[in-house]
Protein backbone atom coordinates (compact mmCIF):
# COMPACT_ATOMS: atom_id res chain seq x y z
CA UNK A 1 0.00 0.00 0.00
CA UNK A 2 1.38 3.36 -0.89
CA UNK A 3 1.17 6.32 1.27
CA UNK A 4 0.32 9.64 -0.25
CA UNK A 5 1.98 12.57 1.22
CA UNK A 6 -0.28 15.45 1.84
CA UNK A 7 1.18 18.69 0.73
CA UNK A 8 -0.23 21.89 2.07
CA UNK A 9 -1.36 24.11 -0.69
CA UNK A 10 -0.79 27.80 -0.07
CA UNK A 11 -2.88 30.58 -1.48
CA UNK A 12 -0.75 32.78 -3.72
CA UNK A 13 -0.16 36.23 -2.28
CA UNK A 14 -1.80 39.26 -3.79
CA UNK A 15 0.52 41.44 -5.82
CA UNK A 16 0.30 44.96 -4.37
CA UNK A 17 2.93 46.57 -6.57
CA UNK A 18 0.34 48.61 -8.50
CA UNK A 19 -1.57 49.75 -5.42
CA UNK A 20 0.33 53.06 -4.89
CA UNK A 21 -0.25 53.98 -8.54
CA UNK A 22 -3.95 53.34 -8.16
CA UNK A 23 -4.17 55.39 -4.96
CA UNK A 24 -2.36 58.36 -6.49
CA UNK A 25 -4.56 58.19 -9.59
CA UNK A 26 -7.72 58.33 -7.49
CA UNK A 27 -6.24 61.13 -5.36
CA UNK A 28 -5.33 63.11 -8.46
CA UNK A 29 -8.86 62.64 -9.82
CA UNK A 30 -10.44 64.03 -6.65
CA UNK A 31 -8.04 66.96 -6.53
CA UNK A 32 -8.88 67.96 -10.08
CA UNK A 33 -12.67 67.65 -9.85
CA UNK A 34 -13.19 69.09 -6.36
CA UNK A 35 -14.03 72.76 -6.16
CA UNK A 36 -12.66 74.37 -3.04
CA UNK A 37 -14.80 77.21 -1.77
CA UNK A 38 -12.57 80.07 -0.71
CA UNK A 39 -15.19 82.25 0.92
CA UNK A 40 -17.69 81.16 3.55
CA UNK A 41 -20.97 82.85 2.73
CA UNK A 42 -22.45 84.75 5.63
CA UNK A 43 -25.30 86.21 3.60
CA UNK A 44 -28.03 84.39 1.77
CA UNK A 45 -29.09 85.52 -1.62
CA UNK A 46 -31.45 84.36 -4.30
CA UNK A 47 -29.79 84.91 -7.64
CA UNK A 48 -31.78 87.25 -9.90
CA UNK A 49 -32.81 86.22 -13.40
CA UNK A 50 -31.67 87.92 -16.59
CA UNK A 51 -32.03 87.60 -20.34
CA UNK A 52 -28.85 89.04 -21.91
CA UNK A 53 -26.14 87.20 -19.94
CA UNK A 54 -22.48 86.59 -20.76
CA UNK A 55 -19.87 84.46 -19.01
CA UNK A 56 -16.79 85.88 -17.33
CA UNK A 57 -13.68 85.31 -19.41
CA UNK A 58 -10.73 85.63 -17.03
CA UNK A 59 -11.85 84.47 -13.60
CA UNK A 60 -8.48 85.08 -11.93
CA UNK A 61 -9.04 88.83 -12.29
CA UNK A 62 -12.50 88.80 -10.71
CA UNK A 63 -13.22 90.01 -7.18
CA UNK A 64 -16.52 88.99 -5.60
CA UNK A 65 -18.77 91.07 -3.36
CA UNK A 66 -21.86 89.46 -1.80
CA UNK A 67 -24.94 91.46 -0.79
CA UNK A 68 -27.91 89.99 1.06
CA UNK A 69 -29.50 89.30 4.38
CA UNK A 70 -27.34 87.50 6.97
CA UNK A 71 -27.78 83.76 7.33
CA UNK A 72 -29.73 82.48 10.32
CA UNK A 73 -26.58 81.89 12.41
CA UNK A 74 -25.15 85.31 11.57
CA UNK A 75 -28.41 87.22 12.04
CA UNK A 76 -28.27 86.40 15.75
CA UNK A 77 -24.82 87.99 15.92
CA UNK A 78 -25.12 91.02 13.62
CA UNK A 79 -28.87 91.50 13.45
CA UNK A 80 -31.13 91.67 10.43
CA UNK A 81 -31.08 93.94 7.42
CA UNK A 82 -29.09 93.79 4.23
CA UNK A 83 -25.33 93.41 4.64
CA UNK A 84 -22.31 93.57 2.32
CA UNK A 85 -19.75 90.76 2.57
CA UNK A 86 -16.19 90.82 1.24
CA UNK A 87 -14.02 87.75 1.83
CA UNK A 88 -15.24 86.21 5.08
CA UNK A 89 -16.40 89.36 6.85
CA UNK A 90 -19.08 91.99 6.71
CA UNK A 91 -17.98 95.40 5.48
CA UNK A 92 -19.23 98.95 5.21
CA UNK A 93 -18.66 101.08 2.12
CA UNK A 94 -15.24 102.43 3.21
CA UNK A 95 -14.02 98.88 3.79
CA UNK A 96 -15.30 97.89 0.34
CA UNK A 97 -13.13 100.62 -1.19
CA UNK A 98 -10.08 99.48 0.81
CA UNK A 99 -10.72 95.82 -0.03
CA UNK A 100 -10.93 96.42 -3.78
CA UNK A 101 -7.78 98.58 -3.71
CA UNK A 102 -5.92 95.87 -1.77
CA UNK A 103 -7.09 93.19 -4.22
CA UNK A 104 -5.87 95.30 -7.14
CA UNK A 105 -2.44 95.68 -5.49
CA UNK A 106 -2.27 91.92 -4.84
CA UNK A 107 -2.84 91.02 -8.50
CA UNK A 108 -0.25 90.90 -11.22
CA UNK A 109 -0.10 94.02 -13.44
CA UNK A 110 -1.81 92.19 -16.32
CA UNK A 111 -4.65 91.01 -14.10
CA UNK A 112 -4.94 94.44 -12.45
CA UNK A 113 -5.70 95.99 -15.85
CA UNK A 114 -8.37 93.38 -16.53
CA UNK A 115 -9.78 93.43 -12.98
CA UNK A 116 -13.54 93.32 -12.69
CA UNK A 117 -15.79 93.15 -9.66
CA UNK A 118 -18.66 90.67 -9.58
CA UNK A 119 -21.54 91.77 -7.38
CA UNK A 120 -23.63 88.83 -6.22
CA UNK A 121 -26.72 90.45 -4.75
CA UNK A 122 -30.03 89.05 -3.57
CA UNK A 123 -32.89 89.76 -5.94
CA UNK A 124 -34.70 91.66 -3.15
CA UNK A 125 -31.81 94.02 -2.38
CA UNK A 126 -32.71 97.69 -2.40
CA UNK A 127 -31.18 99.68 -5.24
CA UNK A 128 -29.79 102.24 -2.77
CA UNK A 129 -27.38 99.69 -1.31
CA UNK A 130 -26.24 98.59 -4.75
CA UNK A 131 -25.76 102.26 -5.68
CA UNK A 132 -23.65 102.79 -2.55
CA UNK A 133 -21.50 99.79 -3.46
CA UNK A 134 -21.08 101.16 -7.00
CA UNK A 135 -19.96 104.52 -5.58
CA UNK A 136 -17.43 102.74 -3.33
CA UNK A 137 -16.14 100.80 -6.32
CA UNK A 138 -15.87 104.00 -8.32
CA UNK A 139 -13.77 105.57 -5.53
CA UNK A 140 -11.51 102.49 -5.60
CA UNK A 141 -11.06 102.80 -9.37
CA UNK A 142 -12.88 99.56 -10.16
CA UNK A 143 -14.93 100.57 -13.18
CA UNK A 144 -15.63 97.09 -14.56
CA UNK A 145 -18.59 95.85 -12.56
CA UNK A 146 -20.81 92.92 -13.43
CA UNK A 147 -23.84 91.54 -11.67
CA UNK A 148 -24.35 87.80 -11.28
CA UNK A 149 -27.62 86.33 -12.53
CA UNK A 150 -29.05 83.14 -13.96
CA UNK A 151 -30.71 82.72 -17.34
CA UNK A 152 -34.40 83.55 -17.23
CA UNK A 153 -36.49 80.46 -17.69
CA UNK A 154 -34.82 78.22 -15.10
CA UNK A 155 -31.56 77.45 -16.88
Amino acid sequence: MSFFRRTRREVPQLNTAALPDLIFTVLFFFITVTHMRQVTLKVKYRVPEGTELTRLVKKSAVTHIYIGKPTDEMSRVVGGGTRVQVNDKFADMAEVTDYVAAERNRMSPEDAQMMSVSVKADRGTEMGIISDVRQALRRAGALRVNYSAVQKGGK
Side-chain angles (χ1 to χ4, degrees):
M1 195 175 325
S2 68
F3 288 101
F4 292 103
R5 288 192 182 177
R6 285 195 174 170
T7 57
R8 294 192 115 193
R9 295 187 187 215
E10 294 182 13
V11 177
Q13 294 209 349
L14 182 63
N15 186 4
T16 59
L19 193 59
D21 294 336
L22 179 66
I23 291 173
F24 284 122
T25 304
V26 171
L27 180 66
F28 180 72
F29 171 75
F30 284 117
I31 287 173
T32 55
V33 299
T34 303
H35 173 68
M36 301 298 287
R37 181 172 288 243
Q38 297 175 348
V39 176
T40 303
L41 290 179
K42 296 183 179 182
V43 296
K44 53 185 171 185
Y45 67 94
R46 295 170 304 165
V47 182
E49 295 179 340
T51 55
E52 301 297 320
L53 304 178
T54 58
R55 292 204 177 269
L56 293 174
V57 177
K58 191 165 185 178
K59 292 187 179 182
S60 65
V62 176
T63 302
H64 298 281
I65 296 176
Y66 303 94
I67 304 173
K69 296 195 186 294
T71 58
D72 295 333
E73 310 89 51
M74 294 307 298
S75 63
R76 286 183 238 126
V77 176
V78 296
T82 304
R83 304 289 296 208
V84 177
Q85 177 186 344
V86 294
N87 274 343
D88 286 332
K89 65 177 188 151
F90 293 119
D92 59 3
M93 296 310 146
E95 291 173 332
V96 169
T97 304
D98 295 340
Y99 168 74
V100 171
E103 284 291 311
R104 182 183 301 265
N105 291 337
R106 185 187 58 81
M107 291 180 180
S108 65
E110 298 84 24
D111 285 348
Q113 284 182 337
M114 297 299 294
M115 178 183 177
S116 65
V117 178
S118 177
V119 176
K120 295 186 175 188
D122 183 66
R123 66 174 71 175
T125 303
E126 296 175 4
M127 196 60 200
I129 295 172
I130 293 186
S131 178
D132 292 344
V133 170
R134 287 183 59 190
Q135 292 297 327
L137 294 174
R138 197 172 288 158
R139 285 191 298 273
L143 303 178
R144 285 191 183 120
V145 180
N146 65 52
Y147 302 95
S148 295
V150 294
Q151 187 71 33
K152 196 169 203 167
K155 190 174 185 183

